[in-house]
Amino acid sequence: MRILKDSFIYLIGELFAKSLPFLMLPYLTRRLGPDGFGELSYYLTWLVFFGIFVGLSQEGAVTRYYYFYGKRALNTIVKAGYLYNIFISFILLIVCWFLKAEIMGYIVLATMFQSFINVQLALRQCQKQSLKYILIQIILSLTNVVFTVAALELFTSDLVAYRILAIVFGNGLTFFIASMVLGNLFSREYKVTTKRLKMGLIYIFSFGLPLILHQSSFFLKGQLDRIFIYQQYTKAELGIYSAGVQLAAVLPIVFIALNKAIVPYYYQGLKNNKLSVNIIKRYALLSLPVSMLPAAISWFVPNKFYIWFLGEEYSESKYYVVLYLFGYGFNLPYLILVNYLFYYGKNLKISVITIASSIVYLLFLVLLINISIKVVPISLLLSNIILVIILYLKVEDFQNG
């Protein structure tokens, strides 16, 4: 019952928090137009890329530390991660300043604050503080929506830059609010020293560096296509494509919300020997029909709905919605299987598997993008199928190795 209750809170809260920027999608597609929306998608791709190196999977490091070692020295881990974040962001900002890349500078700032927020969310998840977790998510969504609408209504030019600036201010304000209620998560008796900060950095690097490959693989499969399309097709075509992808992205959000709620109990089940690899593989198989259902439903939704939601210029977006929902559906069995390896700290194994899947994706992408933008989504679908098959067949071998 506790799992169902937390899952319901996470799911409803996360969907509500994400529904605000999702409902803003029609506003952005119309206000920016296909050209501007395509350009915005291109720059937001770089936000994800910078997040790999700025964040360094700190939220995962915090979660694992809490379950393995408790919260007595958790403040050391968090502060060490924040110091690293600030340092690497400062270096990137200097590079942007030398290159006179103003918008990229905004992207770095947005990434820095987003990483801070991710750690705050991880802390709440560890403590099973689902209501506080969702509150932070809602504040993040509200501030981003309010700042975006204000910026795009006040200004008539450089709208893409102002949209990104709105993200910076929204992320920054959310982190400030979230950090104000952080004190009771830590033991005040455990004093942070230089030596302990160094140990904290070593822990973060040991956890996060192997996952760079893992995170990069998701960047390749989830974002690299925008860069390729931006170089080879028009901004308008990228805008239509990206609008369809963003509509389909609701499905991974649902899966992630469920995963966040279940992970603490999943780990507890493994710790108490109540979950076995055979049970986990059975759940992965049972999840397949459920994960395919959204794509089937979206196929039968009339195209006029997509035109009504996105605008007249986005009539071709339905095609991308259906294909990406099909590809994203395999995220559910993937999460069920990969959490088993995360628990046992097999980060390097996970990275090798996912990067192999990404190489498959990249090969298909390079091949298909020269044929037509219409066949680009097939790259994700095929690579995700291969990834799940490998994990299903080899998950026990990977854990034992």
Side-chain angles (χ1 to χ4, degrees):
M1 290 301 296
R2 179 67 186 273
I3 295 177
L4 291 175
K5 177 184 174 183
D6 278 6
S7 298
F8 180 78
I9 293 173
Y10 273 108
L11 181 59
I12 297 302
E14 189 108 2
L15 287 177
F16 177 79
K18 292 295 190 296
S19 68
L20 296 177
F22 174 76
L23 293 174
M24 194 172 64
L25 182 59
Y27 172 77
L28 288 174
T29 54
R30 289 170 171 82
R31 191 76 177 89
L32 299 177
D35 282 358
F37 194 76
E39 185 179 0
L40 175 64
S41 300
Y42 170 75
Y43 280 114
L44 292 181
T45 296
W46 287 100
L47 188 150
V48 178
F49 178 73
F50 289 148
I52 296 171
F53 303 96
V54 173
L56 206 64
S57 301
Q58 290 177 43
E59 63 275 16
V62 166
T63 300
R64 188 171 187 272
Y65 187 93
Y66 178 86
Y67 284 108
F68 270 78
Y69 306 108
K71 67 178 182 178
R72 182 169 177 265
L74 196 59
N75 56 339
T76 301
I77 303 300
V78 172
K79 290 178 181 178
Y82 283 176
L83 287 175
Y84 164 79
N85 187 329
I86 293 169
F87 174 77
I88 195 70
S89 298
F90 181 72
I91 297 298
L92 289 172
L93 285 172
I94 291 176
V95 173
C96 291
W97 181 72
F98 273 112
L99 296 177
K100 300 186 184 303
E102 182 181 351
I103 295 182
M104 284 298 183
Y106 300 155
I107 292 292
V108 171
L109 289 173
T111 306
M112 179 183 73
F113 286 120
Q114 184 62 59
S115 176
F116 288 157
I117 293 169
N118 289 342
V119 172
Q120 294 286 314
L121 291 171
L123 290 167
R124 271 65 187 185
Q125 182 190 2
C126 292
Q127 304 256 69
K128 300 177 184 176
Q129 296 177 349
S130 53
L131 292 177
K132 287 185 178 180
Y133 177 97
I134 294 306
L135 181 60
I136 295 172
Q137 289 279 54
I138 292 173
I139 292 171
L140 177 63
S141 298
L142 281 173
T143 53
N144 271 271
V145 169
V146 170
F147 284 128
T148 296
V149 173
L152 298 190
E153 292 301 320
L154 285 173
F155 301 99
T156 57
S157 60
D158 298 324
L159 295 184
V160 172
Y162 284 114
R163 161 59 176 158
I164 295 170
L165 264 178
I167 296 173
V168 174
F169 284 107
N171 289 358
L173 181 59
T174 301
F175 169 66
F176 176 78
I177 294 172
S179 62
M180 290 295 96
V181 294
L182 188 61
N184 62 350
L185 295 175
F186 300 136
S187 169
R188 298 184 181 276
E189 298 176 0
Y190 198 83
K191 183 180 178 181
V192 176
T193 64
T194 302
K195 182 179 179 180
R196 287 170 179 165
L197 282 176
K198 288 180 180 178
M199 294 298 293
L201 283 171
I202 291 172
Y203 172 76
I204 287 172
F205 290 149
S206 66
F207 183 91
L209 287 177
L211 287 176
I212 287 179
L213 288 176
H214 176 70
Q215 297 292 340
S216 297
S217 70
F218 282 103
F219 171 78
L220 290 176
K221 293 171 67 173
Q223 304 292 329
L224 187 64
D225 54 342
R226 323 295 162 79
I227 296 178
F228 274 65
I229 293 170
Y230 187 81
Q231 302 298 328
Q232 193 158 338
Y233 295 90
T234 66
K235 292 180 182 178
E237 287 176 300
L238 175 57
I240 294 167
Y241 174 92
S242 298
V245 175
Q246 288 201 31
L247 275 176
V250 173
L251 186 60
I253 290 171
V254 173
F255 289 161
I256 290 170
L258 289 171
N259 189 58
K260 287 180 182 294
I262 291 171
V263 158
Y265 302 96
Y266 187 111
Y267 283 4
Q268 195 67 41
L270 289 172
K271 186 176 182 179
N272 297 335
N273 296 318
K274 293 181 179 180
L275 269 182
S276 67
V277 69
N278 289 329
I279 293 174
I280 290 167
K281 290 172 73 173
R282 191 185 312 142
Y283 285 148
L285 282 178
L286 292 172
S287 72
L288 283 173
V290 177
S291 63
M292 296 299 104
L293 190 59
I297 293 173
S298 67
W299 176 258
F300 291 103
V301 174
N303 195 47
K304 61 183 180 181
F305 168 80
Y306 298 94
I307 295 174
W308 167 79
F309 189 74
L310 297 171
E312 290 288 341
E313 297 172 290
Y314 299 86
S315 60
E316 297 181 11
S317 292
K318 174 184 175 178
Y319 172 84
Y320 300 111
V321 173
V322 175
L323 278 185
Y324 269 99
L325 281 174
F326 193 22
Y328 287 145
F330 286 91
N331 286 2
L332 181 58
Y334 166 79
L335 289 170
I336 293 172
L337 293 167
V338 82
N339 282 333
Y340 183 77
L341 298 181
F342 271 125
Y343 176 79
Y344 288 104
K346 301 296 180 178
N347 296 348
L348 187 57
K349 297 281 188 183
I350 295 168
S351 296
V352 170
I353 300 166
T354 51
I355 202 67
S357 170
S358 297
I359 291 172
V360 172
Y361 168 79
L362 185 58
L363 291 174
F364 279 116
L365 178 62
V366 171
L367 175 66
L368 296 175
I369 200 166
N370 292 314
I371 299 173
S372 168
I373 191 174
K374 293 278 190 177
V375 295
V376 169
I378 297 174
S379 307
L380 178 77
L381 174 60
L382 293 176
S383 64
N384 278 358
I385 291 173
I386 292 170
L387 175 62
V388 170
I389 290 174
I390 292 173
L391 271 176
Y392 182 84
L393 295 176
K394 297 292 185 179
V395 63
E396 191 168 13
D397 294 339
F398 287 136
Q399 193 278 316
N400 292 333

